[in-house]
């Protein structure tokens, strides 16, 4: 586990868990939307934010699964404020319906955590570029909102659960280099709540530390093209 023991400037490492990076932080009064909260990293993120006093809105496609997760969190943390709302991020109609319903409830929104899925390499790059361009627009508009992207790390449970041979490998060697779910949710919770990240925008995080992406991830021309394309899609 020596690979995971190297701490970065933040004081945390790849082996840090979501609970560890938020230890002592009080999120009371904050409201967060967490997409993909019905399984894996999304569930752990929702649980730890609720543990720290944040009012968590789980935005989930499967409401039955979301209800089960909510009940499990409240059973563990009786004081938790957790609600589930239906959202399919692959459908613009669903996104618009969710936004309309959320706004009609008059709730504040302090944290939006988007857990992306799909073609992994492309979606990862798109998230990095989008966060950089969004941060640029927010700064130009003089809005006190930050936007960052992150890489949770390779999670053994999610990546290899369907392949018997790879699962066997992960149960042995993989445990030394791959993260479990509490470790995988750490960077998400760190960026959401830790005072070290206050005011930081347009950055890319990995292992609960600021990390420099590759040259493509720093290509602002490509970021603008992606932004313009996205704006055209959503009109």
């Amino acid at each position: 586990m020596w690979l995971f023991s190297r701490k970065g400037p933040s004081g945390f490492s790849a082996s840090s868990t979501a609970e560890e990076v938020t230890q002592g932080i009080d999120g009371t009064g904050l409201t967060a939307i967490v997409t993909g909260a019905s399984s894996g990293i999304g569930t752990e993120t929702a649980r730890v934010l609720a543990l720290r006093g944040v009012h968590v809105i789980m935005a989930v496609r499967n409401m039955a699964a979301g209800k089960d997760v909510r009940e499990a969190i409240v059973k563990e943390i009786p004081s938790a404020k957790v609600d589930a709302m239906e959202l399919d991020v692959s459908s613009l109609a669903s996104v618009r319906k969710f936004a309309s319903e959320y706004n009609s409830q008059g709730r504040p929104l302090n944290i939006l955590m988007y857990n992306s899925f799909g073609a992994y390499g492309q979606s990862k790059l798109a998230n990095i570029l989008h966060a950089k361009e969004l941060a640029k627009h927010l700064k130009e508009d003089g809005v006190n909102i930050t936007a960052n992207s992150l890489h949770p790390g390779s999670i053994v449970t999610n990546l290899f659960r369907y392949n018997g041979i790879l699962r066997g490998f992960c149960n042995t060697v993989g445990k030394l280099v791959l993260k479990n779910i509490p470790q995988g949710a750490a960077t998400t919770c760190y960026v959401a709540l830790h005072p070290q990240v206050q005011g930081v925008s347009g950055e890319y995080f990995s292992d609960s530390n600021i990390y420099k992406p590759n040259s493509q991830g720093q290509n602002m021309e490509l970021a603008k093209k992606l932004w313009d394309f996205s704006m055209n899609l959503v009109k």
Side-chain angles (χ1 to χ4, degrees):
M1 296 292 284
W2 63 271
L3 177 66
F4 281 176
S5 66
R6 295 178 180 175
K7 293 181 179 179
S10 69
F12 302 112
S13 69
S15 62
S16 299
T17 66
E19 286 198 28
E20 289 169 351
V21 302
T22 58
Q23 185 65 43
I25 296 174
D26 183 6
T28 303
L30 298 176
T31 302
I33 292 175
V34 181
T35 68
S38 59
S39 65
I41 291 176
T43 295
E44 179 67 358
T45 298
R47 185 189 73 82
V48 173
L49 291 186
L51 181 65
R52 302 306 177 213
V54 177
H55 183 182
V56 178
I57 311 298
M58 302 189 309
V60 296
R61 183 167 54 183
N62 185 332
M63 283 296 287
K67 182 181 177 183
D68 289 344
V69 169
R70 180 192 176 281
E71 288 178 353
I73 292 175
V74 173
K75 184 177 181 180
E76 178 192 344
I77 313 162
S79 61
K81 296 179 181 177
V82 185
D83 293 298
M85 291 179 63
E86 188 173 4
L87 172 65
D88 179 356
V89 295
S90 67
S91 164
L92 283 177
S94 177
V95 171
R96 290 190 175 103
K97 181 173 181 286
F98 176 91
S100 177
E101 289 178 355
Y102 191 90
N103 286 334
S104 69
Q105 294 169 3
R107 287 173 169 159
L109 177 58
N110 306 102
I111 304 165
L112 173 60
M113 311 175 86
Y114 174 62
N115 294 298
S116 65
F117 304 97
Y120 179 72
Q122 289 182 327
S123 63
K124 177 184 171 185
L125 175 61
N127 284 339
I128 294 171
L129 294 176
H130 178 77
K132 284 187 174 294
E133 188 68 13
L134 177 57
K136 182 180 136 188
H137 281 264
L138 292 170
K139 184 177 180 181
E140 289 172 351
D141 292 342
V143 180
N144 187 26
I145 299 174
T146 59
N148 296 289
S149 60
L150 62 91
H151 178 38
S154 298
I155 316 300
V156 60
T157 303
N158 290 348
L159 287 179
F160 305 117
R161 60 185 171 182
Y162 299 115
N163 188 305
I165 297 174
L166 287 175
R167 186 168 62 243
F169 170 80
C170 290
N171 284 337
T172 52
V173 180
K175 287 183 178 178
L176 300 178
V177 294
L178 300 175
K179 296 183 179 183
N180 57 34
I181 288 175
Q183 291 167 339
T187 305
T188 309
C189 292
Y190 170 78
V191 174
L193 289 183
H194 206 285
Q196 291 175 352
V197 188
Q198 186 173 356
V200 176
S201 193
E203 296 291 351
Y204 172 60
F205 290 80
S206 181
D207 298 336
S208 301
N209 283 274
I210 291 178
Y211 186 85
K212 187 175 180 180
N214 61 26
S215 57
Q216 274 191 310
Q218 300 177 68
N219 188 331
M220 292 310 293
E221 183 181 348
L222 187 58
K224 186 179 185 307
K225 287 181 179 178
L226 175 64
W227 179 272
D228 292 341
F229 177 76
S230 300
M231 290 300 103
N232 186 54
L233 273 182
V234 300
K235 295 180 173 58

XYZ file of all heavy atoms in Angstrom, residues 70-103:
262
model
N -31.712 6.113 0.260
C -32.128 7.137 1.232
C -32.472 6.499 2.575
O -32.050 6.988 3.633
C -33.342 7.911 0.703
C -33.822 8.989 1.657
C -35.184 9.548 1.281
N -35.620 10.499 2.299
C -36.147 10.158 3.469
N -36.334 8.872 3.759
N -36.500 11.082 4.345
N -33.242 5.409 2.537
C -33.639 4.743 3.778
C -32.426 4.190 4.525
O -32.368 4.258 5.755
C -34.625 3.615 3.463
C -36.004 4.121 3.038
C -36.958 3.004 2.674
O -36.507 1.832 2.625
O -38.154 3.283 2.428
N -31.444 3.680 3.774
C -30.238 3.135 4.401
C -29.427 4.248 5.075
O -28.893 4.057 6.180
C -29.384 2.427 3.352
N -29.345 5.395 4.411
C -28.593 6.515 4.975
C -29.270 7.030 6.244
O -28.620 7.256 7.273
C -28.446 7.660 3.944
C -27.529 7.227 2.802
C -27.881 8.918 4.610
C -27.417 8.230 1.672
N -30.577 7.207 6.191
C -31.318 7.726 7.344
C -31.284 6.732 8.506
O -31.259 7.132 9.672
C -32.771 8.063 6.951
C -33.601 8.433 8.172
C -32.796 9.210 5.948
N -31.264 5.447 8.188
C -31.175 4.429 9.240
C -29.835 4.539 9.957
O -29.758 4.412 11.182
C -31.339 3.030 8.632
C -31.354 1.917 9.676
C -31.601 0.559 9.033
C -31.626 -0.542 10.088
N -31.858 -1.879 9.488
N -28.774 4.772 9.196
C -27.432 4.904 9.783
C -27.256 6.256 10.466
O -26.627 6.356 11.524
C -26.360 4.752 8.702
C -24.942 4.919 9.234
C -23.901 5.057 8.141
O -24.194 4.735 6.977
O -22.787 5.499 8.457
N -27.820 7.314 9.827
C -27.667 8.681 10.337
C -29.063 9.276 10.520
O -29.601 9.915 9.609
C -26.853 9.551 9.357
C -25.589 8.815 8.899
C -26.512 10.909 9.960
C -24.955 9.387 7.644
N -29.687 9.073 11.673
C -31.074 9.518 11.891
C -31.300 11.004 11.635
O -32.406 11.416 11.272
C -31.324 9.164 13.363
C -30.388 8.027 13.636
C -29.160 8.325 12.829
N -30.272 11.817 11.820
C -30.421 13.261 11.633
C -30.225 13.691 10.178
O -30.342 14.883 9.856
C -29.402 14.010 12.503
O -28.070 13.658 12.126
N -29.937 12.737 9.289
C -29.632 13.063 7.899
C -30.810 13.697 7.177
O -31.961 13.299 7.356
C -29.201 11.800 7.157
N -30.495 14.706 6.363
C -31.495 15.326 5.491
C -31.209 14.844 4.076
O -30.256 15.298 3.434
C -31.395 16.850 5.558
C -31.707 17.439 6.918
C -31.548 18.947 6.874
C -31.823 19.574 8.238
N -31.588 21.038 8.209
N -32.013 13.902 3.608
C -31.792 13.300 2.291
C -33.118 13.158 1.564
O -34.093 12.657 2.115
C -31.139 11.897 2.409
C -30.806 11.346 1.030
C -29.876 11.960 3.260
N -33.152 13.613 0.331
C -34.332 13.457 -0.514
C -33.898 12.901 -1.863
O -32.746 13.080 -2.281
C -35.041 14.800 -0.730
C -35.654 15.337 0.555
O -36.545 14.672 1.103
O -35.229 16.421 1.003
N -34.813 12.234 -2.550
C -34.534 11.703 -3.883
C -35.464 12.343 -4.899
O -36.659 12.508 -4.646
C -34.703 10.183 -3.902
N -34.879 12.733 -6.030
C -35.667 13.279 -7.142
C -35.251 12.568 -8.421
O -34.086 12.203 -8.589
C -35.442 14.790 -7.280
C -36.008 15.620 -6.149
S -35.678 17.401 -6.354
C -36.582 17.748 -7.894
N -36.199 12.392 -9.310
C -35.921 11.653 -10.550
C -35.175 12.519 -11.557
O -35.551 13.664 -11.819
C -37.232 11.158 -11.168
C -37.017 10.221 -12.349
C -38.304 9.598 -12.842
O -39.385 9.952 -12.317
O -38.253 8.750 -13.742
N -34.100 11.960 -12.109
C -33.323 12.652 -13.137
C -32.577 11.647 -13.997
O -31.829 10.819 -13.498
C -32.311 13.612 -12.503
C -31.303 14.253 -13.464
C -32.004 15.162 -14.466
C -30.231 15.021 -12.705
N -32.784 11.747 -15.303
C -32.027 10.967 -16.278
C -31.154 11.967 -17.032
O -31.633 12.723 -17.871
C -32.974 10.245 -17.240
C -32.233 9.428 -18.285
O -30.986 9.471 -18.310
O -32.900 8.751 -19.093
N -29.858 11.995 -16.712
C -28.976 13.019 -17.282
C -28.769 12.838 -18.783
O -28.262 13.741 -19.447
C -27.608 13.037 -16.570
C -27.761 13.463 -15.119
C -26.908 11.680 -16.676
N -29.157 11.692 -19.338
C -29.013 11.469 -20.777
C -30.185 12.067 -21.560
O -30.186 12.056 -22.783
C -28.909 9.974 -21.083
O -30.128 9.307 -20.798
N -31.177 12.586 -20.852
C -32.366 13.160 -21.486
C -32.496 14.639 -21.125
O -32.655 14.988 -19.948
C -33.632 12.412 -21.034
O -34.797 13.153 -21.337
N -32.420 15.517 -22.132
C -32.563 16.947 -21.878
C -33.951 17.270 -21.328
O -34.117 18.168 -20.497
C -32.311 17.751 -23.159
C -30.849 17.926 -23.562
C -30.746 18.671 -24.887
C -30.071 18.663 -22.478
N -34.957 16.526 -21.772
C -36.318 16.732 -21.264
C -36.374 16.444 -19.771
O -36.995 17.179 -18.995
C -37.301 15.846 -22.017
N -35.686 15.373 -19.354
C -35.645 15.009 -17.938
C -34.885 16.056 -17.134
O -35.280 16.408 -16.021
C -34.991 13.633 -17.765
O -34.893 13.296 -16.396
N -33.796 16.559 -17.700
C -32.991 17.584 -17.021
C -33.826 18.849 -16.815
O -33.833 19.439 -15.724
C -31.724 17.912 -17.830
C -31.006 19.123 -17.232
C -30.784 16.706 -17.861
N -34.543 19.256 -17.854
C -35.376 20.466 -17.759
C -36.505 20.268 -16.740
O -36.832 21.186 -15.976
C -35.946 20.814 -19.132
C -34.888 21.315 -20.109
C -35.525 21.879 -21.384
N -34.518 22.464 -22.256
C -34.040 21.879 -23.359
N -34.494 20.684 -23.711
N -33.120 22.469 -24.090
N -37.101 19.093 -16.725
C -38.176 18.794 -15.772
C -37.635 18.835 -14.339
O -38.267 19.397 -13.444
C -38.765 17.417 -16.086
C -39.930 16.997 -15.177
C -40.549 15.694 -15.682
C -41.723 15.258 -14.819
N -41.313 14.723 -13.517
N -36.468 18.244 -14.149
C -35.841 18.237 -12.827
C -35.563 19.671 -12.367
O -35.874 20.038 -11.225
C -34.539 17.440 -12.871
C -33.759 17.455 -11.581
C -33.963 16.484 -10.622
C -32.820 18.455 -11.326
C -33.258 16.507 -9.418
C -32.118 18.492 -10.134
C -32.333 17.509 -9.184
N -34.971 20.472 -13.249
C -34.632 21.855 -12.900
C -35.878 22.662 -12.552
O -35.885 23.440 -11.579
C -33.882 22.517 -14.050
N -36.924 22.456 -13.325
C -38.176 23.176 -13.078
C -38.770 22.799 -11.724
O -39.188 23.669 -10.945
C -39.182 22.863 -14.193
O -40.417 23.489 -13.934
N -38.788 21.502 -11.421
C -39.331 21.034 -10.149
C -38.482 21.520 -8.974
O -39.004 21.921 -7.934
C -39.415 19.505 -10.148
C -40.497 18.954 -11.076
C -40.531 17.433 -11.090
O -39.661 16.805 -10.446
O -41.429 16.868 -11.744
N -37.165 21.495 -9.166
C -36.268 21.933 -8.092
C -36.470 23.415 -7.797
O -36.595 23.828 -6.644
C -34.812 21.666 -8.471
C -33.854 21.835 -7.317
C -33.540 20.754 -6.496
C -33.279 23.069 -7.029
C -32.675 20.903 -5.414
C -32.428 23.233 -5.956
C -32.114 22.141 -5.153
O -31.281 22.305 -4.078
N -36.534 24.215 -8.843
C -36.723 25.651 -8.669
C -38.070 25.969 -8.023
O -38.183 26.898 -7.212
C -36.627 26.372 -10.019
C -35.200 26.455 -10.521
O -34.255 26.435 -9.740
N -35.042 26.547 -11.831
